Amino acid sequence: MSIRLYDTATREVRDFAPLEEGRVGIYVCGLTVQGEPHVGHVRSAVNFDVLRRWLTHRGYDVSFIRNVTDIDDKILTKAAEQGRPWYNLAYDMKRELDRAYDALGVLPPTYEPSATGHVPEMLELIDRLITRGHAYAADDGSGDVYFDVRSWSDYGELTHQRIDDMEAAEDADPRGKRDPRDFALWKGWKVATEPETAAWPSPYGPGRPGWHIECSAMAGKYLGAAFDIHGGGVDLRFPHHENELAQSRAAGHAFANFWLHNAWITTKGEKMSKSLGNSLTIPKVLERVRGIELRYYIVAAHYRSHVEFSFEALEEAATGFRRIEAFLDRAQETAGEVPVGEIPVAFAAAMDDDLGTPAALAVLFDTVREGNRADDPTSQAAAVRAMLAVLGLDPAVPAWGPRGGDDQALTGVVDALVKALVEQRAEARASKDFATADAIRGQLAAAGVVLTDTAQGVTWALADPTTEKDSD
C-alpha cells in the first residue's frame, strides 16, 4: 500500500511519491525563540517527528530541516522589556526549546538553520524577486522592501483566497506599500527604537529580513528549488506559508510538492498561546507526567485533529501508556529480553493512511490484549515494541532514561501486593474455598486488575482502557 497524505494545497488525501526516488526532503517551520515552549508549541515537532520516523521505516532516506527564527519583532520587544540583548534572549530560549524536544524524544533535524545565519541567502532571493518584477524597495526612505502581491496572479493559491478578500499585512508601516496586502521582505533599521546589532548591511540600507523570506531562503539552500513536503502548524497557512509559496514561485522555484499542517492544542476552545495567557510550559507539565507520557498524549490524536488540553485527559493517557509498559515488563519477566519485531499489517495500513495514529494505536492495544492472554507473549511484545518505535514511544530506548524513582517504587509495591493476593487466591482454590478465591478476584477487578489463568500460572494486567470506555 502506498503512503497517502492530506495535502493542504489541494484539500485532498493523495498518494505520496517523492520527487527523487528513495529520498524525501521535509522542511518544517520551527519556532520563534521568544519565550519558553509550551505544549502547543511541541505538538508540531512531535507530529512531524512521527512522519519522519514512518517515512524512514518505509525505507526512505529523509532529509529533515527545521529552522529557528532568532530575529523578529517579538524577540526585540521582549528583550527590551527584560533589559537584555535580543540575541541573549534568543539563545536562552533556544536552549529551553532543545530541552523540551529532548524531553519528548524528538529526533534532532538533519539541519537546523537559524535566520541570523542565512541573511546573504535572503538578500540574494530578494534581489531575484526585484529583478523579476515581483518586489520593490519602498520610496519613503524607510529601507523596507516589499513583495508586490498584485504582480503574482497565483497569490492566494494555498489558502484559496482572493487578494481583495484578504486583510492588510501588518508587518510594516503601510505608508511605503503599493497595496496594503504587500508584505515585508526586508525591514529597514529603525535607528530610534532598535539596537544596531539587529541590523545587517544590504543594498537597500541596514535592516533585517522579514519573517516569510527566511523560510524560503533556508528551504532552498538545504533542499533545493523543489522538495517534497513543507509542514507546520495550521496557524501558519496564512499569511506565512501563503507568502512563502508566492515569493518562492515568483522567484522561479517549484518549492513544496505537499503541504502538511498539524492542528492546534486548545484550552477552553482557544489556540494555546502566550498572548492568551493560557500557555502551559513543558517543564511545568513534566512535573505531572513523564516526557514519554506527554508524547503519547500528543501522538494518540490524529495530527489534523484539534486537541482540547486538560490535565485529566493527559493523566488518563499516561495511565493508558503505563498499561503498555506493564505488559512489556511482564513479557520480559516471562521470556527475557524482548526484541523489536515486525509491525502488524493493520498498523502499517493505518499509518499509511495519512498517519492514522488513532487507528494504529487501536492495533497496538489489540496486540497487548492478545499478549495478555497468551502463555508466551514474546511475539506480541516484540510487535508492540516495533509499533512503539516508529511512534517514538519505545520505553526501552536509552534516551528515555530510567523511570522515575517514585514511579518505580510504586510499581514494585503494586506488583508485590497483587502477587500476594494471587497467592492467597491460589491457596483458597487449592483448599476448594472457591468463594474466597472469587472474592479476591473480584476485589482485584474492582481495583482495575485483571487475572488470567494460564498453563504456566496466573498473570495479571491492568484493565484495558478501551474496554473500560466501551462498557460505559
Side-chain angles (χ1 to χ4, degrees):
M1 180 178 177
S2 62
I3 298 174
R4 292 172 58 77
L5 298 171
Y6 182 84
D7 181 11
T8 306
T10 61
R11 296 179 175 176
E12 62 182 6
V13 177
R14 59 191 184 95
D15 289 341
F16 172 76
L19 299 174
E20 181 181 349
E21 186 175 356
R23 299 176 63 87
V24 176
I26 302 175
Y27 186 92
V28 174
C29 285
L31 294 178
T32 299
V33 283
Q34 56 168 312
E36 286 186 299
H38 58 62
V39 175
H41 287 144
V42 298
R43 182 182 190 185
S44 181
V46 170
N47 287 156
F48 284 101
D49 186 61
V50 171
L51 171 65
R52 176 189 185 179
R53 289 171 185 265
W54 184 244
L55 290 171
T56 300
H57 170 78
R58 280 304 200 190
Y60 293 109
D61 179 11
V62 180
S63 291
F64 189 90
I65 316 300
R66 185 184 64 229
N67 77 295
V68 176
T69 297
D70 57 351
I71 182 68
D72 179 83
D73 289 343
K74 294 178 180 179
I75 293 175
L76 294 177
T77 299
K78 291 197 173 185
E81 291 172 351
Q82 297 174 24
R84 62 197 296 196
W86 62 269
Y87 47 82
N88 176 264
L89 171 64
Y91 179 73
D92 278 356
M93 293 304 101
K94 173 60 169 61
R95 292 176 66 191
E96 290 292 331
L97 182 60
D98 287 342
R99 280 192 278 268
Y101 287 158
D102 289 344
L104 272 75
V106 175
L107 296 173
T110 309
Y111 302 107
E112 191 173 31
S114 63
T116 56
H118 295 78
V119 174
E121 290 84 357
M122 298 171 202
L123 289 172
E124 181 180 348
L125 183 55
I126 292 171
D127 180 67
R128 183 176 178 85
L129 288 168
I130 292 175
T131 300
R132 293 169 69 97
H134 296 296
Y136 60 93
D139 58 10
D140 61 354
S142 63
D144 295 340
V145 180
Y146 297 104
F147 183 84
D148 184 352
V149 296
R150 297 282 181 183
S151 75
W152 184 245
S153 60
D154 289 333
Y155 186 67
E157 62 181 313
L158 179 64
T159 52
H160 304 272
Q161 297 184 80
R162 295 172 59 254
I163 291 178
D164 292 334
D165 295 333
M166 297 178 185
E167 295 182 355
E170 298 180 349
D171 55 358
D173 192 323
R175 288 177 295 181
K177 298 182 179 184
R178 297 173 183 172
D179 186 286
R181 269 76 50 152
D182 291 351
F183 56 88
L185 304 174
W186 187 258
K187 296 185 175 185
W189 177 36
K190 300 177 180 61
V191 181
T193 59
E194 296 179 352
E196 187 175 359
T197 54
W200 285 258
S202 83
Y204 328 106
R208 55 189 171 86
W211 178 28
H212 314 300
I213 200 69
E214 297 174 356
C215 289
S216 287
M218 290 185 282
K221 173 161 183 158
Y222 293 97
L223 295 176
F227 57 95
D228 297 293
I229 297 171
H230 195 317
V234 68
D235 53 316
L236 298 181
R237 289 177 60 242
F238 187 87
H240 186 47
H241 287 170
E242 187 72 77
N243 292 348
E244 275 190 69
L245 177 61
Q247 67 198 7
S248 299
R249 293 273 176 88
H253 302 159
F255 212 52
N257 191 30
F258 272 78
W259 291 84
L260 270 64
H261 293 93
N262 63 276
W264 292 340
I265 291 182
T266 58
T267 52
K268 297 181 180 179
E270 297 182 274
K271 174 192 170 188
M272 187 178 290
S273 67
K274 291 182 175 63
S275 62
L276 291 174
N278 60 3
S279 61
L280 292 162
T281 62
I282 300 303
K284 286 294 184 183
V285 174
L286 294 183
E287 291 176 3
R288 304 278 291 265
V289 297
R290 294 175 294 148
I292 196 170
E293 294 165 346
L294 177 55
R295 181 182 175 105
Y296 173 79
Y297 172 71
I298 295 172
V299 168
H302 191 271
Y303 77 95
R304 288 195 289 116
S305 298
H306 288 299
V307 174
E308 176 66 16
F309 181 87
S310 72
F311 277 111
E312 292 77 13
L314 175 60
E315 288 164 0
E316 181 181 347
T319 299
F321 184 75
R322 290 170 200 150
R323 292 185 173 104
I324 300 172
E325 288 182 306
F327 164 69
L328 291 175
D329 289 344
R330 288 190 295 279
Q332 185 168 328
E333 289 177 5
T334 301
E337 188 66 31
V338 175
V340 177
E342 296 295 323
I343 284 178
V345 172
F347 180 95
M351 293 297 289
D352 281 340
D353 186 13
D354 195 30
L355 296 183
T357 54
L361 286 174
V363 176
L364 189 150
F365 273 108
D366 284 344
T367 308
V368 169
R369 281 194 291 270
E370 182 183 340
N372 280 329
R373 293 191 296 265
D375 293 339
D376 181 359
T378 304
S379 63
Q380 291 88 356
V384 167
R385 280 202 64 195
M387 290 183 275
L388 291 175
V390 297
L391 298 174
L393 289 167
D394 185 357
V397 171
W400 288 116
R403 298 185 202 174
D406 290 343
D407 285 346
Q408 250 181 335
L410 181 58
T411 300
V413 169
V414 171
D415 188 58
L417 290 172
V418 172
K419 285 180 177 177
L421 287 171
V422 167
E423 289 176 5
Q424 290 179 26
R425 175 175 174 266
E427 292 172 359
R429 294 182 70 184
S431 303
K432 301 188 182 302
D433 185 359
F434 297 113
T436 298
D438 289 344
I440 292 173
R441 187 182 191 121
Q443 289 170 354
L444 288 170
V449 176
V450 177
L451 301 183
T452 303
D453 295 307
T454 72
Q456 285 71 37
V458 179
T459 64
W460 68 272
L462 295 176
D464 185 85
T466 306
T467 302
E468 290 175 0
K469 287 182 179 179
D470 291 345
S471 64
D472 286 343

